[in-house]
Amino acid sequence: MAPKPSTPYTGAEFKDVASDGPSTVVKLCLFVFFVMTRAVHPTIIDASKSVDPETGKKSFAYGNMTVVIGECVVTLVVAQLMCLAFGGVGQWKKIWSPAPMKVFSMIGFVYALGDYLEMASMGALGGAAYQILLQSKLVITALMTWGIKGTGQTGLQWNILVLVMLSMCVYMIGGSSDSGSGGGIPIMGVINVLLKVSVSCFCAVLSDKYMKDFKSTPIYMQLVQFKCAWLATILVISFTDGKTWQNGFFTGWNGVTAGVLVSFTVKGWSTMYLLAMLDSVLKNIGEACAVLVIYAMQVILPSFEDQFEIPTFLSVMVVILSVTAYVGSKSVVEKAQKYDKMMADKA
């Protein structure tokens, strides 16, 4: 008996199979929310500065560690309440297990240094300049990957990375008034941002290395384990800055400062959840798009004195486009390498 001819494949066989992960609309909404959180955070920190009437320089009237301490306390309280509500006392006791607490405390300590460097750099830089300099993470990550894993970049990718660095330099030179230094390039602010980026890249390495064994742990439990060492580190720093406790914890606070506290809290929680849902390409593009949103807010909002200038706008666009070009080049390079390998195997 002759076998029946097989039905030709049409591509419609799996049309009813649900795809993994969130839908395109959900991803788009998450992407927009990610961009807005990344844009609002440095903008509201910049808006919380006060202008010295004698020198005209911008600075924080409040202790810059007070908002970080406040965020840590709020997160610790809310996360533990969530743990008790969703998992009961049994789950709450698991927070204090030595193995995960040791790992998350180490990472939380490094994150705390990042918060300190962020506020120190924002004291000297405007929101747009800060967000633009954060794009240096592409270069630092490439160098770390090259040094630690031995994975290099192609000539095309190195050229784009140099373009990213040069475009940041052009913005900092041409738009140096976007800072709290009263003119000129705030060198210490730039150094603090680069240190902040290095710390963030190091945190990513630690997270990738040590957190794989704790993927099943709920995020609110991880936040408590993070924040214990995080809060302890920030408290130590606050006792040495000569301002936080000497002048009074809430000295200089106003409505905008409370907004900074809310921004830190929303950014901390959303980062943990959103980064698990968005792929690395969307994250990097979102970080770059946030630069344009920040610049738009600084031009539109009355709390800022910035005016729309074509050279500044163009320098912002060059940064964004160079970052997206580098992010997009990765898939092209990977496909080219696979093709070269395939052709070499055939030879």
Side-chain angles (χ1 to χ4, degrees):
M1 182 176 179
K4 295 182 180 179
S6 60
T7 304
Y9 177 74
T10 64
E13 286 79 2
F14 301 102
K15 65 180 181 179
D16 296 326
V17 178
S19 60
D20 294 333
S23 65
T24 303
V25 175
V26 173
K27 278 189 175 182
L28 178 61
C29 294
L30 291 173
F31 176 76
V32 172
F33 182 73
F34 179 79
V35 172
M36 293 308 298
T37 55
R38 288 300 183 273
V40 170
H41 184 64
T43 301
I44 196 169
I45 293 176
D46 196 16
S48 70
K49 297 177 187 175
S50 301
V51 179
D52 190 319
E54 296 182 359
T55 63
K57 292 183 179 181
K58 290 183 177 181
S59 61
F60 296 118
Y62 57 93
N64 51 17
M65 288 295 97
T66 57
V67 289
V68 182
I69 293 172
E71 184 273 326
C72 288
V73 172
V74 170
T75 297
L76 280 170
V77 172
V78 172
Q80 289 186 78
L81 289 176
M82 289 178 64
C83 191
L84 290 170
F86 298 144
V89 177
Q91 190 179 68
W92 180 83
K93 289 181 178 179
K94 291 181 181 179
I95 294 176
W96 316 107
S97 300
M101 180 61 77
K102 186 185 299 182
V103 172
F104 287 107
S105 293
M106 176 178 60
I107 300 173
F109 166 75
V110 182
Y111 271 123
L113 298 180
D115 275 353
Y116 167 74
L117 291 168
E118 177 179 351
M119 292 302 291
S121 58
M122 282 297 298
L125 295 169
Y130 172 78
Q131 189 67 23
I132 279 179
L133 288 172
L134 283 185
Q135 307 313 307
S136 61
K137 71 179 181 295
L138 298 175
V139 181
I140 294 175
T141 301
L143 293 173
M144 282 187 173
T145 305
W146 186 24
I148 297 173
K149 296 183 179 180
T151 305
Q153 306 284 307
T154 64
L156 171 64
Q157 290 175 308
W158 281 121
N159 280 333
I160 300 177
L161 286 173
V162 172
L163 176 61
V164 172
M165 294 300 295
L166 292 177
S167 62
M168 289 190 299
C169 293
V170 168
Y171 178 85
M172 291 304 299
I173 294 172
S176 59
S177 60
D178 177 30
S179 68
S181 61
I185 299 177
I187 300 299
M188 283 308 301
V190 173
I191 292 174
N192 283 329
V193 175
L194 296 178
L195 290 173
K196 153 74 175 173
V197 172
S198 300
V199 166
S200 297
C201 293
F202 183 57
C203 280
V205 172
L206 288 177
S207 299
D208 182 62
K209 183 175 181 180
Y210 293 107
M211 289 175 61
K212 292 179 181 178
D213 297 332
F214 305 103
K215 285 184 177 180
S216 60
T217 304
I219 295 234
Y220 49 83
M221 287 180 65
Q222 294 180 12
L223 282 169
V224 176
Q225 293 164 336
F226 272 131
K227 291 297 177 178
C228 288
W230 201 321
L231 176 59
T233 304
I234 293 298
L235 282 173
V236 171
I237 294 174
S238 69
F239 283 115
T240 62
D241 65 6
K243 185 176 182 179
T244 302
W245 304 100
Q246 288 82 348
N247 298 341
F249 189 86
F250 290 104
T251 299
W253 273 56
N254 54 27
V256 182
T257 313
V260 175
L261 170 60
V262 173
S263 178
F264 262 106
T265 306
V266 172
K267 180 173 175 282
W269 282 81
S270 64
T271 296
M272 295 292 291
Y273 283 97
L274 289 178
L275 295 188
M277 299 179 186
L278 297 176
D279 57 42
S280 59
V281 174
L282 287 177
K283 295 172 200 171
N284 288 317
I285 293 176
E287 293 271 8
C289 291
V291 177
L292 185 60
V293 177
I294 293 170
Y295 178 67
M297 287 192 291
Q298 289 182 334
V299 171
I300 296 171
L301 296 177
S303 56
F304 299 98
E305 299 177 355
D306 300 64
Q307 296 180 345
F308 179 78
E309 297 177 351
I310 291 179
T312 305
F313 172 74
L314 291 177
S315 63
V316 168
M317 290 305 301
V318 170
V319 173
I320 295 173
L321 293 175
S322 59
V323 169
T324 53
Y326 174 75
V327 173
S329 70
K330 288 188 175 182
S331 61
V332 176
V333 169
E334 288 173 358
K335 289 178 182 178
Q337 290 173 341
K338 288 180 181 178
Y339 177 79
D340 290 343
K341 186 177 183 300
M342 181 181 67
M343 296 303 293
D345 293 339
K346 287 183 178 181

